[in-house]
Amino acid sequence: MGLILVRHTAPDVAPGTCYGRLDLSPGPRFAEEAAAILATLPPVSRVLTSPLIRCRALAEHVGAARGLPVEVAPGLIEIDFGTWEGIAWDAVPRAELDAWAADFWHARPHGGESVAIFTARVAEALAGLGAAQDWLAVTHAGLMRAALHLLGRDETWASRFGHGAVLRLSRDELAALAAGGAGTRPGKNA
């Protein structure tokens, strides 16, 4: 199988809010959402999670149900949106959004991570896992998009991952990431 990346359940945050590193609690429908996600997952031998509570809660739910310990993996954390964290996307200054759109890969108008910095961090985190066997990692949509980019897939940054969405990485894909294969260069498709 390889590694299954699962996006966390819906967090307790107003729609339209910018959040990456903002540590949000799971939303009011957590139990229902977590049960639905758990029901779709195949057996796994290891559970990893981003350090953020919205991911840890789901990972702990899966771990408890499967009798597996949960390991916090700091490299699986979402992109840092700096000063944009916690504000409505509509409230982000237009000039900052324009600067980001003009140089999506390198711009950091918010003072957090650029997409290039973030993607390099994700490459390192995923490469550190090696050719995972039947692992589950509860993480974020941004990290899932970065993984697609690193693998050279066409869908990359335009991909939409709803809460609870799953992205499967094969053992071969993980081995390629661990080996620093051609698809793992940040900016390859930027």
Side-chain angles (χ1 to χ4, degrees):
M1 178 176 19
L3 176 67
I4 300 170
L5 299 174
V6 177
R7 186 178 182 203
H8 56 81
T9 59
D12 190 13
V13 66
T17 300
C18 175
Y19 63 92
R21 291 276 177 94
L22 190 60
D23 204 4
L24 300 166
S25 296
R29 297 185 55 219
F30 172 76
E32 177 185 332
E33 293 174 14
I37 293 165
L38 180 62
T40 68
L41 297 175
V44 295
S45 58
R46 189 172 175 192
V47 179
L48 306 171
T49 184
S50 158
L52 298 179
I53 188 66
R54 62 187 182 264
C55 292
R56 287 193 343 251
L58 179 57
E60 290 166 4
H61 179 83
V62 172
R66 301 283 175 91
L68 296 170
V70 174
E71 301 171 52
V72 174
L76 298 179
I77 198 168
E78 182 63 286
I79 191 169
D80 180 357
F81 282 117
T83 58
W84 296 356
E85 294 281 352
I87 65 172
W89 280 105
D90 291 346
V92 174
R94 185 77 222 174
E96 292 180 16
L97 285 173
D98 290 345
W100 192 36
D103 187 4
F104 177 71
W105 195 249
H106 298 287
R108 298 176 43 207
H110 44 60
E113 289 177 297
S114 69
V115 173
I117 291 168
F118 171 63
T119 302
R121 178 172 57 74
V122 171
E124 184 176 334
L126 293 177
L129 296 178
Q133 296 186 17
D134 307 329
W135 293 2
L136 171 77
V138 182
T139 189
H140 308 274
L143 190 129
M144 295 164 85
R145 288 182 193 110
L148 289 176
H149 174 80
L150 291 164
L151 292 169
R153 294 196 188 167
D154 290 338
E155 51 279 45
T156 309
W157 302 108
S159 295
R160 298 285 177 222
F161 293 101
H163 297 107
V166 171
L167 174 64
R168 296 173 191 269
L169 302 181
S170 70
R171 290 181 187 150
D172 289 344
E173 289 172 322
L174 286 167
L177 291 173
T184 65
R185 289 191 307 270
K188 177 178 175 273
N189 296 332

